[in-house]
Amino acid sequence: RGMTDEYVPTPDEIRSGARGELEQMIEFRGTIVGQMTDMTKWLVASLLTINAGGAVAVINMADKRAVEEPAGFFLGGLLLALFSAKWIEMIASESLPLVGRWIGYWTSVAEDGERGEEFERELRAEGDRISHKGKLSVVTGSLSVVAFAAGAFL
């Protein structure tokens, strides 16, 4: 082979690589489910707790006239926390079928030794789209914290 020839893996090498990718995708699927479940439970419980606690504290204030603004922020924080949790759930539900498609793809490659570059690009683009949408949960969770802080300092 000359210096300018590009290395082309053999079908057996492709199959071997695909089996490794397949194992990683199966492990990744389990990780997604476990982490998303744990993180969602913790995040929602925390955000709901701090905002609900703030709302209860404000409602129990002696000066009832000073209740409306802070209570509005705490209520907003509660709603943002719930929205964040729902968004995380949606992202997880969109991610799992994509991981399933990757698993099916790598299973096929492991069997026949042929990769589909266009299909891989499509799957990566879908993953990028889902990842981009997931940023909204970070924004809403952060806004929930801001709403709590605003309510606490009013």
Side-chain angles (χ1 to χ4, degrees):
R1 223 179 1 212
M3 294 292 285
T4 59
D5 291 342
E6 186 177 319
Y7 175 74
V8 178
T10 67
D12 285 340
E13 290 171 324
I14 292 172
R15 284 185 196 97
S16 176
R19 284 189 290 276
E21 292 288 342
L22 178 58
E23 288 174 18
Q24 286 180 340
M25 280 293 150
I26 290 170
E27 185 177 322
F28 183 57
R29 178 178 54 192
T31 300
I32 288 174
V33 171
Q35 286 182 348
M36 294 300 274
T37 300
D38 293 345
M39 194 258 316
T40 301
K41 286 190 289 188
W42 175 84
L43 176 65
V44 172
S46 297
L47 293 173
L48 291 174
T49 299
I50 64 170
N51 283 291
V56 168
V58 166
I59 290 169
N60 289 323
M61 289 174 58
D63 182 4
K64 296 297 182 191
R65 291 171 292 157
V67 169
E68 289 179 12
E69 279 187 39
F73 279 107
F74 293 130
L75 178 60
L78 286 166
L79 294 174
L80 286 164
L82 292 171
F83 183 79
S84 181
K86 188 63 181 167
W87 199 257
I88 290 168
E89 177 188 15
M90 186 197 73
I91 295 302
S93 69
E94 284 187 34
S95 296
L96 289 174
L98 176 62
V99 172
R101 289 176 62 203
W102 273 111
I103 289 170
Y105 170 73
W106 287 119
T107 299
S108 173
V109 174
E111 291 172 3
D112 64 25
E114 294 182 22
R115 294 181 68 170
E117 291 181 22
E118 180 62 30
F119 189 67
E120 287 182 30
R121 276 193 292 277
E122 289 173 17
L123 293 179
R124 281 192 198 96
E126 179 68 10
D128 290 345
R129 185 190 65 75
I130 291 170
S131 178
H132 183 71
K133 284 173 62 176
K135 293 175 184 172
L136 185 59
S137 67
V138 174
V139 171
T140 56
S142 298
L143 288 173
S144 177
V145 172
V146 169
F148 168 76
F153 291 112
L154 283 179

mmCIF file of all heavy atoms in Angstrom, residues 96-144:
data_model
loop_
_atom_site.group_PDB
_atom_site.id
_atom_site.type_symbol
_atom_site.label_atom_id
_atom_site.label_comp_id
_atom_site.label_asym_id
_atom_site.label_seq_id
_atom_site.Cartn_x
_atom_site.Cartn_y
_atom_site.Cartn_z
ATOM 1 N N LEU A 96 -34.753 7.606 24.195
ATOM 2 C CA LEU A 96 -34.734 6.147 24.229
ATOM 3 C C LEU A 96 -35.011 5.499 22.870
ATOM 4 O O LEU A 96 -34.301 4.562 22.500
ATOM 5 C CB LEU A 96 -35.684 5.634 25.308
ATOM 6 C CG LEU A 96 -35.186 5.904 26.737
ATOM 7 C CD1 LEU A 96 -36.247 5.512 27.753
ATOM 8 C CD2 LEU A 96 -33.879 5.185 27.008
ATOM 9 N N PRO A 97 -35.987 5.964 22.094
ATOM 10 C CA PRO A 97 -36.159 5.366 20.765
ATOM 11 C C PRO A 97 -34.930 5.575 19.866
ATOM 12 O O PRO A 97 -34.573 4.697 19.080
ATOM 13 C CB PRO A 97 -37.382 6.083 20.184
ATOM 14 C CG PRO A 97 -38.133 6.570 21.363
ATOM 15 C CD PRO A 97 -37.087 6.885 22.397
ATOM 16 N N LEU A 98 -34.282 6.734 20.008
ATOM 17 C CA LEU A 98 -33.075 6.980 19.217
ATOM 18 C C LEU A 98 -31.978 5.993 19.601
ATOM 19 O O LEU A 98 -31.311 5.429 18.729
ATOM 20 C CB LEU A 98 -32.591 8.419 19.406
ATOM 21 C CG LEU A 98 -31.272 8.765 18.701
ATOM 22 C CD1 LEU A 98 -31.407 8.612 17.187
ATOM 23 C CD2 LEU A 98 -30.835 10.174 19.075
ATOM 24 N N VAL A 99 -31.802 5.777 20.895
ATOM 25 C CA VAL A 99 -30.802 4.800 21.338
ATOM 26 C C VAL A 99 -31.183 3.416 20.809
ATOM 27 O O VAL A 99 -30.322 2.645 20.377
ATOM 28 C CB VAL A 99 -30.659 4.813 22.878
ATOM 29 C CG1 VAL A 99 -29.779 3.661 23.354
ATOM 30 C CG2 VAL A 99 -30.083 6.142 23.346
ATOM 31 N N GLY A 100 -32.469 3.114 20.803
ATOM 32 C CA GLY A 100 -32.924 1.839 20.235
ATOM 33 C C GLY A 100 -32.579 1.705 18.755
ATOM 34 O O GLY A 100 -32.190 0.630 18.296
ATOM 35 N N ARG A 101 -32.708 2.813 18.022
ATOM 36 C CA ARG A 101 -32.337 2.780 16.599
ATOM 37 C C ARG A 101 -30.833 2.555 16.442
ATOM 38 O O ARG A 101 -30.401 1.825 15.545
ATOM 39 C CB ARG A 101 -32.763 4.074 15.909
ATOM 40 C CG ARG A 101 -34.281 4.163 15.764
ATOM 41 C CD ARG A 101 -34.751 5.468 15.172
ATOM 42 N NE ARG A 101 -34.253 5.672 13.819
ATOM 43 C CZ ARG A 101 -34.132 6.862 13.244
ATOM 44 N NH1 ARG A 101 -34.488 7.950 13.902
ATOM 45 N NH2 ARG A 101 -33.675 6.971 12.021
ATOM 46 N N TRP A 102 -30.035 3.205 17.314
ATOM 47 C CA TRP A 102 -28.585 2.977 17.284
ATOM 48 C C TRP A 102 -28.270 1.513 17.587
ATOM 49 O O TRP A 102 -27.424 0.906 16.933
ATOM 50 C CB TRP A 102 -27.861 3.874 18.296
ATOM 51 C CG TRP A 102 -27.491 5.221 17.791
ATOM 52 C CD1 TRP A 102 -28.042 6.413 18.180
ATOM 53 C CD2 TRP A 102 -26.483 5.550 16.825
ATOM 54 N NE1 TRP A 102 -27.444 7.449 17.508
ATOM 55 C CE2 TRP A 102 -26.482 6.948 16.675
ATOM 56 C CE3 TRP A 102 -25.596 4.788 16.060
ATOM 57 C CZ2 TRP A 102 -25.622 7.609 15.806
ATOM 58 C CZ3 TRP A 102 -24.727 5.448 15.188
ATOM 59 C CH2 TRP A 102 -24.750 6.839 15.072
ATOM 60 N N ILE A 103 -28.968 0.939 18.566
ATOM 61 C CA ILE A 103 -28.738 -0.466 18.918
ATOM 62 C C ILE A 103 -29.081 -1.364 17.731
ATOM 63 O O ILE A 103 -28.328 -2.281 17.385
ATOM 64 C CB ILE A 103 -29.541 -0.855 20.181
ATOM 65 C CG1 ILE A 103 -28.910 -0.170 21.405
ATOM 66 C CG2 ILE A 103 -29.600 -2.369 20.361
ATOM 67 C CD1 ILE A 103 -29.741 -0.287 22.674
ATOM 68 N N GLY A 104 -30.218 -1.095 17.093
ATOM 69 C CA GLY A 104 -30.582 -1.879 15.903
ATOM 70 C C GLY A 104 -29.560 -1.731 14.790
ATOM 71 O O GLY A 104 -29.191 -2.712 14.127
ATOM 72 N N TYR A 105 -29.083 -0.510 14.596
ATOM 73 C CA TYR A 105 -28.085 -0.258 13.556
ATOM 74 C C TYR A 105 -26.800 -1.026 13.847
ATOM 75 O O TYR A 105 -26.275 -1.724 12.970
ATOM 76 C CB TYR A 105 -27.804 1.243 13.449
ATOM 77 C CG TYR A 105 -26.610 1.557 12.575
ATOM 78 C CD1 TYR A 105 -26.695 1.427 11.200
ATOM 79 C CD2 TYR A 105 -25.400 1.959 13.138
ATOM 80 C CE1 TYR A 105 -25.601 1.702 10.389
ATOM 81 C CE2 TYR A 105 -24.299 2.235 12.333
ATOM 82 C CZ TYR A 105 -24.402 2.106 10.967
ATOM 83 O OH TYR A 105 -23.323 2.368 10.168
ATOM 84 N N TRP A 106 -26.275 -0.896 15.076
ATOM 85 C CA TRP A 106 -25.016 -1.569 15.394
ATOM 86 C C TRP A 106 -25.180 -3.092 15.392
ATOM 87 O O TRP A 106 -24.235 -3.818 15.080
ATOM 88 C CB TRP A 106 -24.445 -1.062 16.716
ATOM 89 C CG TRP A 106 -23.882 0.326 16.601
ATOM 90 C CD1 TRP A 106 -24.291 1.432 17.272
ATOM 91 C CD2 TRP A 106 -22.827 0.759 15.729
ATOM 92 N NE1 TRP A 106 -23.562 2.526 16.877
ATOM 93 C CE2 TRP A 106 -22.654 2.145 15.929
ATOM 94 C CE3 TRP A 106 -22.020 0.125 14.785
ATOM 95 C CZ2 TRP A 106 -21.704 2.903 15.254
ATOM 96 C CZ3 TRP A 106 -21.073 0.870 14.101
ATOM 97 C CH2 TRP A 106 -20.921 2.231 14.329
ATOM 98 N N THR A 107 -26.369 -3.582 15.714
ATOM 99 C CA THR A 107 -26.620 -5.024 15.618
ATOM 100 C C THR A 107 -26.493 -5.463 14.164
ATOM 101 O O THR A 107 -25.859 -6.489 13.864
ATOM 102 C CB THR A 107 -28.023 -5.366 16.159
ATOM 103 O OG1 THR A 107 -28.096 -4.986 17.536
ATOM 104 C CG2 THR A 107 -28.322 -6.852 16.028
ATOM 105 N N SER A 108 -27.073 -4.686 13.264
ATOM 106 C CA SER A 108 -26.993 -4.995 11.836
ATOM 107 C C SER A 108 -25.549 -4.945 11.338
ATOM 108 O O SER A 108 -25.099 -5.832 10.609
ATOM 109 C CB SER A 108 -27.852 -4.002 11.052
ATOM 110 O OG SER A 108 -27.682 -4.169 9.667
ATOM 111 N N VAL A 109 -24.815 -3.911 11.739
ATOM 112 C CA VAL A 109 -23.411 -3.782 11.312
ATOM 113 C C VAL A 109 -22.581 -4.927 11.868
ATOM 114 O O VAL A 109 -21.711 -5.465 11.173
ATOM 115 C CB VAL A 109 -22.825 -2.415 11.737
ATOM 116 C CG1 VAL A 109 -21.341 -2.328 11.436
ATOM 117 C CG2 VAL A 109 -23.564 -1.279 11.033
ATOM 118 N N ALA A 110 -22.864 -5.328 13.113
ATOM 119 C CA ALA A 110 -22.130 -6.438 13.715
ATOM 120 C C ALA A 110 -22.374 -7.737 12.953
ATOM 121 O O ALA A 110 -21.505 -8.604 12.903
ATOM 122 C CB ALA A 110 -22.526 -6.601 15.183
ATOM 123 N N GLU A 111 -23.552 -7.857 12.328
ATOM 124 C CA GLU A 111 -23.871 -9.066 11.579
ATOM 125 C C GLU A 111 -23.303 -9.043 10.165
ATOM 126 O O GLU A 111 -22.714 -10.024 9.707
ATOM 127 C CB GLU A 111 -25.388 -9.263 11.519
ATOM 128 C CG GLU A 111 -25.992 -9.626 12.862
ATOM 129 C CD GLU A 111 -27.508 -9.638 12.833
ATOM 130 O OE1 GLU A 111 -28.106 -9.427 11.756
ATOM 131 O OE2 GLU A 111 -28.094 -9.850 13.907
ATOM 132 N N ASP A 112 -23.498 -7.912 9.450
ATOM 133 C CA ASP A 112 -23.106 -7.913 8.038
ATOM 134 C C ASP A 112 -21.801 -7.173 7.745
ATOM 135 O O ASP A 112 -21.279 -7.247 6.632
ATOM 136 C CB ASP A 112 -24.233 -7.375 7.153
ATOM 137 C CG ASP A 112 -24.585 -5.925 7.420
ATOM 138 O OD1 ASP A 112 -23.739 -5.163 7.913
ATOM 139 O OD2 ASP A 112 -25.733 -5.552 7.115
ATOM 140 N N GLY A 113 -21.277 -6.438 8.715
ATOM 141 C CA GLY A 113 -19.994 -5.758 8.525
ATOM 142 C C GLY A 113 -20.046 -4.540 7.621
ATOM 143 O O GLY A 113 -19.006 -4.057 7.181
ATOM 144 N N GLU A 114 -21.241 -4.025 7.353
ATOM 145 C CA GLU A 114 -21.365 -2.859 6.483
ATOM 146 C C GLU A 114 -21.976 -1.692 7.244
ATOM 147 O O GLU A 114 -23.025 -1.829 7.859
ATOM 148 C CB GLU A 114 -22.239 -3.195 5.268
ATOM 149 C CG GLU A 114 -21.607 -4.221 4.346
ATOM 150 C CD GLU A 114 -22.469 -4.500 3.132
ATOM 151 O OE1 GLU A 114 -23.306 -3.637 2.784
ATOM 152 O OE2 GLU A 114 -22.326 -5.589 2.566
ATOM 153 N N ARG A 115 -21.298 -0.547 7.153
ATOM 154 C CA ARG A 115 -21.779 0.665 7.815
ATOM 155 C C ARG A 115 -22.517 1.545 6.825
ATOM 156 O O ARG A 115 -22.218 1.559 5.647
ATOM 157 C CB ARG A 115 -20.612 1.434 8.422
ATOM 158 C CG ARG A 115 -19.949 0.663 9.554
ATOM 159 C CD ARG A 115 -18.823 1.420 10.161
ATOM 160 N NE ARG A 115 -19.329 2.586 10.879
ATOM 161 C CZ ARG A 115 -18.575 3.330 11.669
ATOM 162 N NH1 ARG A 115 -17.300 3.050 11.840
ATOM 163 N NH2 ARG A 115 -19.093 4.376 12.289
ATOM 164 N N GLY A 116 -23.471 2.294 7.333
ATOM 165 C CA GLY A 116 -24.226 3.233 6.510
ATOM 166 C C GLY A 116 -23.940 4.650 6.980
ATOM 167 O O GLY A 116 -24.542 5.114 7.945
ATOM 168 N N GLU A 117 -23.027 5.310 6.327
ATOM 169 C CA GLU A 117 -22.599 6.643 6.766
ATOM 170 C C GLU A 117 -23.750 7.645 6.776
ATOM 171 O O GLU A 117 -23.854 8.466 7.692
ATOM 172 C CB GLU A 117 -21.444 7.147 5.893
ATOM 173 C CG GLU A 117 -20.166 6.367 6.108
ATOM 174 C CD GLU A 117 -19.014 6.880 5.267
ATOM 175 O OE1 GLU A 117 -19.051 8.050 4.830
ATOM 176 O OE2 GLU A 117 -18.077 6.100 5.036
ATOM 177 N N GLU A 118 -24.610 7.590 5.789
ATOM 178 C CA GLU A 118 -25.741 8.513 5.731
ATOM 179 C C GLU A 118 -26.694 8.272 6.910
ATOM 180 O O GLU A 118 -27.165 9.214 7.540
ATOM 181 C CB GLU A 118 -26.490 8.372 4.399
ATOM 182 C CG GLU A 118 -27.683 9.308 4.257
ATOM 183 C CD GLU A 118 -27.289 10.791 4.287
ATOM 184 O OE1 GLU A 118 -26.176 11.137 3.858
ATOM 185 O OE2 GLU A 118 -28.117 11.592 4.788
ATOM 186 N N PHE A 119 -26.958 6.995 7.196
ATOM 187 C CA PHE A 119 -27.834 6.662 8.319
ATOM 188 C C PHE A 119 -27.211 7.121 9.639
ATOM 189 O O PHE A 119 -27.902 7.663 10.511
ATOM 190 C CB PHE A 119 -28.111 5.154 8.348
ATOM 191 C CG PHE A 119 -29.167 4.759 9.335
ATOM 192 C CD1 PHE A 119 -30.487 5.149 9.161
ATOM 193 C CD2 PHE A 119 -28.841 4.004 10.449
ATOM 194 C CE1 PHE A 119 -31.468 4.779 10.079
ATOM 195 C CE2 PHE A 119 -29.811 3.637 11.368
ATOM 196 C CZ PHE A 119 -31.127 4.024 11.179
ATOM 197 N N GLU A 120 -25.900 6.948 9.782
ATOM 198 C CA GLU A 120 -25.204 7.412 10.994
ATOM 199 C C GLU A 120 -25.329 8.930 11.132
ATOM 200 O O GLU A 120 -25.559 9.439 12.241
ATOM 201 C CB GLU A 120 -23.731 7.013 10.963
ATOM 202 C CG GLU A 120 -23.499 5.535 11.202
ATOM 203 C CD GLU A 120 -22.024 5.169 11.222
ATOM 204 O OE1 GLU A 120 -21.184 6.011 11.612
ATOM 205 O OE2 GLU A 120 -21.707 4.021 10.856
ATOM 206 N N ARG A 121 -25.189 9.646 10.024
ATOM 207 C CA ARG A 121 -25.340 11.110 10.064
ATOM 208 C C ARG A 121 -26.750 11.502 10.502
ATOM 209 O O ARG A 121 -26.939 12.431 11.284
ATOM 210 C CB ARG A 121 -25.017 11.726 8.701
ATOM 211 C CG ARG A 121 -23.535 11.961 8.474
ATOM 212 C CD ARG A 121 -23.288 12.864 7.267
ATOM 213 N NE ARG A 121 -23.651 12.232 6.009
ATOM 214 C CZ ARG A 121 -22.873 11.390 5.330
ATOM 215 N NH1 ARG A 121 -21.684 11.082 5.782
ATOM 216 N NH2 ARG A 121 -23.287 10.869 4.197
ATOM 217 N N GLU A 122 -27.750 10.772 9.990
ATOM 218 C CA GLU A 122 -29.136 11.054 10.373
ATOM 219 C C GLU A 122 -29.352 10.830 11.866
ATOM 220 O O GLU A 122 -29.993 11.646 12.540
ATOM 221 C CB GLU A 122 -30.096 10.157 9.585
ATOM 222 C CG GLU A 122 -30.214 10.496 8.118
ATOM 223 C CD GLU A 122 -31.038 9.473 7.355
ATOM 224 O OE1 GLU A 122 -31.780 8.687 7.991
ATOM 225 O OE2 GLU A 122 -30.939 9.448 6.110
ATOM 226 N N LEU A 123 -28.818 9.732 12.383
ATOM 227 C CA LEU A 123 -28.969 9.441 13.809
ATOM 228 C C LEU A 123 -28.243 10.483 14.667
ATOM 229 O O LEU A 123 -28.767 10.924 15.686
ATOM 230 C CB LEU A 123 -28.466 8.038 14.133
ATOM 231 C CG LEU A 123 -29.272 6.882 13.549
ATOM 232 C CD1 LEU A 123 -28.644 5.541 13.923
ATOM 233 C CD2 LEU A 123 -30.718 6.925 14.001
ATOM 234 N N ARG A 124 -27.057 10.878 14.242
ATOM 235 C CA ARG A 124 -26.321 11.911 14.989
ATOM 236 C C ARG A 124 -27.081 13.238 14.966
ATOM 237 O O ARG A 124 -27.141 13.943 15.974
ATOM 238 C CB ARG A 124 -24.920 12.088 14.412
ATOM 239 C CG ARG A 124 -23.971 11.024 14.857
ATOM 240 C CD ARG A 124 -22.511 11.368 14.506
ATOM 241 N NE ARG A 124 -21.731 10.165 14.563
ATOM 242 C CZ ARG A 124 -21.429 9.392 13.525
ATOM 243 N NH1 ARG A 124 -21.800 9.739 12.319
ATOM 244 N NH2 ARG A 124 -20.719 8.293 13.684
ATOM 245 N N ALA A 125 -27.646 13.578 13.812
ATOM 246 C CA ALA A 125 -28.412 14.827 13.704
ATOM 247 C C ALA A 125 -29.627 14.782 14.624
ATOM 248 O O ALA A 125 -29.962 15.779 15.277
ATOM 249 C CB ALA A 125 -28.841 15.071 12.254
ATOM 250 N N GLU A 126 -30.284 13.651 14.693
ATOM 251 C CA GLU A 126 -31.428 13.490 15.592
ATOM 252 C C GLU A 126 -30.977 13.645 17.045
ATOM 253 O O GLU A 126 -31.641 14.295 17.852
ATOM 254 C CB GLU A 126 -32.097 12.130 15.383
ATOM 255 C CG GLU A 126 -33.269 11.855 16.286
ATOM 256 C CD GLU A 126 -34.478 12.726 16.013
ATOM 257 O OE1 GLU A 126 -34.510 13.438 14.990
ATOM 258 O OE2 GLU A 126 -35.418 12.701 16.831
ATOM 259 N N GLY A 127 -29.846 13.059 17.392
ATOM 260 C CA GLY A 127 -29.302 13.201 18.745
ATOM 261 C C GLY A 127 -28.971 14.646 19.070
ATOM 262 O O GLY A 127 -29.239 15.131 20.179
ATOM 263 N N ASP A 128 -28.409 15.357 18.102
ATOM 264 C CA ASP A 128 -28.091 16.777 18.305
ATOM 265 C C ASP A 128 -29.366 17.593 18.513
ATOM 266 O O ASP A 128 -29.408 18.498 19.355
ATOM 267 C CB ASP A 128 -27.315 17.333 17.110
ATOM 268 C CG ASP A 128 -25.903 16.787 17.014
ATOM 269 O OD1 ASP A 128 -25.406 16.201 18.004
ATOM 270 O OD2 ASP A 128 -25.289 16.929 15.935
ATOM 271 N N ARG A 129 -30.403 17.272 17.758
ATOM 272 C CA ARG A 129 -31.683 17.979 17.884
ATOM 273 C C ARG A 129 -32.282 17.765 19.272
ATOM 274 O O ARG A 129 -32.720 18.715 19.936
ATOM 275 C CB ARG A 129 -32.657 17.503 16.802
ATOM 276 C CG ARG A 129 -33.982 18.267 16.776
ATOM 277 C CD ARG A 129 -35.001 17.616 15.859
ATOM 278 N NE ARG A 129 -35.435 16.304 16.291
ATOM 279 C CZ ARG A 129 -36.279 16.076 17.309
ATOM 280 N NH1 ARG A 129 -36.756 17.070 17.998
ATOM 281 N NH2 ARG A 129 -36.635 14.847 17.630
ATOM 282 N N ILE A 130 -32.260 16.537 19.736
ATOM 283 C CA ILE A 130 -32.800 16.225 21.059
ATOM 284 C C ILE A 130 -31.970 16.915 22.136
ATOM 285 O O ILE A 130 -32.513 17.505 23.081
ATOM 286 C CB ILE A 130 -32.848 14.698 21.285
ATOM 287 C CG1 ILE A 130 -33.902 14.070 20.362
ATOM 288 C CG2 ILE A 130 -33.146 14.370 22.747
ATOM 289 C CD1 ILE A 130 -33.869 12.554 20.325
ATOM 290 N N SER A 131 -30.669 16.875 21.988
ATOM 291 C CA SER A 131 -29.787 17.525 22.960
ATOM 292 C C SER A 131 -30.052 19.027 23.025
ATOM 293 O O SER A 131 -30.100 19.619 24.114
ATOM 294 C CB SER A 131 -28.333 17.257 22.583
ATOM 295 O OG SER A 131 -27.465 17.899 23.464
ATOM 296 N N HIS A 132 -30.256 19.631 21.875
ATOM 297 C CA HIS A 132 -30.535 21.070 21.825
ATOM 298 C C HIS A 132 -31.857 21.380 22.533
ATOM 299 O O HIS A 132 -31.954 22.340 23.289
ATOM 300 C CB HIS A 132 -30.559 21.543 20.366
ATOM 301 C CG HIS A 132 -30.777 23.011 20.225
ATOM 302 N ND1 HIS A 132 -29.829 23.931 20.572
ATOM 303 C CD2 HIS A 132 -31.855 23.708 19.791
ATOM 304 C CE1 HIS A 132 -30.308 25.148 20.359
ATOM 305 N NE2 HIS A 132 -31.534 25.042 19.884
ATOM 306 N N LYS A 133 -32.865 20.554 22.297
ATOM 307 C CA LYS A 133 -34.158 20.758 22.955
ATOM 308 C C LYS A 133 -34.036 20.596 24.464
ATOM 309 O O LYS A 133 -34.757 21.241 25.222
ATOM 310 C CB LYS A 133 -35.180 19.752 22.419
ATOM 311 C CG LYS A 133 -35.713 20.097 21.048
ATOM 312 C CD LYS A 133 -36.582 19.005 20.483
ATOM 313 C CE LYS A 133 -37.809 18.730 21.287
ATOM 314 N NZ LYS A 133 -38.691 17.723 20.674
ATOM 315 N N GLY A 134 -33.124 19.747 24.900
ATOM 316 C CA GLY A 134 -32.951 19.499 26.331
ATOM 317 C C GLY A 134 -32.474 20.711 27.106
ATOM 318 O O GLY A 134 -32.645 20.789 28.326
ATOM 319 N N LYS A 135 -31.920 21.679 26.412
ATOM 320 C CA LYS A 135 -31.421 22.876 27.090
ATOM 321 C C LYS A 135 -32.551 23.675 27.732
ATOM 322 O O LYS A 135 -32.323 24.398 28.698
ATOM 323 C CB LYS A 135 -30.627 23.741 26.109
ATOM 324 C CG LYS A 135 -29.349 23.063 25.662
ATOM 325 C CD LYS A 135 -28.616 23.862 24.613
ATOM 326 C CE LYS A 135 -27.405 23.059 24.150
ATOM 327 N NZ LYS A 135 -26.748 23.665 23.014
ATOM 328 N N LEU A 136 -33.765 23.526 27.234
ATOM 329 C CA LEU A 136 -34.888 24.249 27.815
ATOM 330 C C LEU A 136 -35.133 23.820 29.264
ATOM 331 O O LEU A 136 -35.508 24.641 30.103
ATOM 332 C CB LEU A 136 -36.159 24.056 26.983
ATOM 333 C CG LEU A 136 -37.374 24.857 27.438
ATOM 334 C CD1 LEU A 136 -37.077 26.357 27.433
ATOM 335 C CD2 LEU A 136 -38.561 24.558 26.548
ATOM 336 N N SER A 137 -34.885 22.549 29.582
ATOM 337 C CA SER A 137 -35.072 22.104 30.963
ATOM 338 C C SER A 137 -34.074 22.778 31.893
ATOM 339 O O SER A 137 -34.391 23.083 33.047
ATOM 340 C CB SER A 137 -34.970 20.580 31.072
ATOM 341 O OG SER A 137 -33.652 20.158 30.798
ATOM 342 N N VAL A 138 -32.869 23.039 31.409
ATOM 343 C CA VAL A 138 -31.875 23.748 32.209
ATOM 344 C C VAL A 138 -32.335 25.187 32.448
ATOM 345 O O VAL A 138 -32.230 25.712 33.567
ATOM 346 C CB VAL A 138 -30.494 23.726 31.516
ATOM 347 C CG1 VAL A 138 -29.493 24.593 32.262
ATOM 348 C CG2 VAL A 138 -29.984 22.294 31.375
ATOM 349 N N VAL A 139 -32.856 25.802 31.406
ATOM 350 C CA VAL A 139 -33.328 27.186 31.525
ATOM 351 C C VAL A 139 -34.490 27.275 32.510
ATOM 352 O O VAL A 139 -34.500 28.121 33.412
ATOM 353 C CB VAL A 139 -33.737 27.750 30.136
ATOM 354 C CG1 VAL A 139 -34.432 29.094 30.267
ATOM 355 C CG2 VAL A 139 -32.511 27.862 29.236
ATOM 356 N N THR A 140 -35.471 26.400 32.368
ATOM 357 C CA THR A 140 -36.633 26.479 33.257
ATOM 358 C C THR A 140 -36.272 26.127 34.694
ATOM 359 O O THR A 140 -36.792 26.729 35.632
ATOM 360 C CB THR A 140 -37.795 25.595 32.758
ATOM 361 O OG1 THR A 140 -37.326 24.254 32.607
ATOM 362 C CG2 THR A 140 -38.360 26.110 31.452
ATOM 363 N N GLY A 141 -35.380 25.163 34.876
ATOM 364 C CA GLY A 141 -34.920 24.844 36.227
ATOM 365 C C GLY A 141 -34.185 26.019 36.847
ATOM 366 O O GLY A 141 -34.374 26.348 38.024
ATOM 367 N N SER A 142 -33.346 26.671 36.052
ATOM 368 C CA SER A 142 -32.611 27.846 36.543
ATOM 369 C C SER A 142 -33.568 28.985 36.877
ATOM 370 O O SER A 142 -33.400 29.681 37.889
ATOM 371 C CB SER A 142 -31.591 28.309 35.496
ATOM 372 O OG SER A 142 -30.647 27.288 35.251
ATOM 373 N N LEU A 143 -34.568 29.185 36.037
ATOM 374 C CA LEU A 143 -35.550 30.232 36.310
ATOM 375 C C LEU A 143 -36.355 29.928 37.578
ATOM 376 O O LEU A 143 -36.767 30.845 38.294
ATOM 377 C CB LEU A 143 -36.485 30.422 35.114
ATOM 378 C CG LEU A 143 -35.847 31.093 33.895
ATOM 379 C CD1 LEU A 143 -36.819 31.082 32.716
ATOM 380 C CD2 LEU A 143 -35.394 32.504 34.216
ATOM 381 N N SER A 144 -36.575 28.648 37.863
ATOM 382 C CA SER A 144 -37.259 28.271 39.093
ATOM 383 C C SER A 144 -36.428 28.707 40.302
ATOM 384 O O SER A 144 -36.971 29.223 41.293
ATOM 385 C CB SER A 144 -37.499 26.756 39.127
ATOM 386 O OG SER A 144 -38.108 26.377 40.338
#
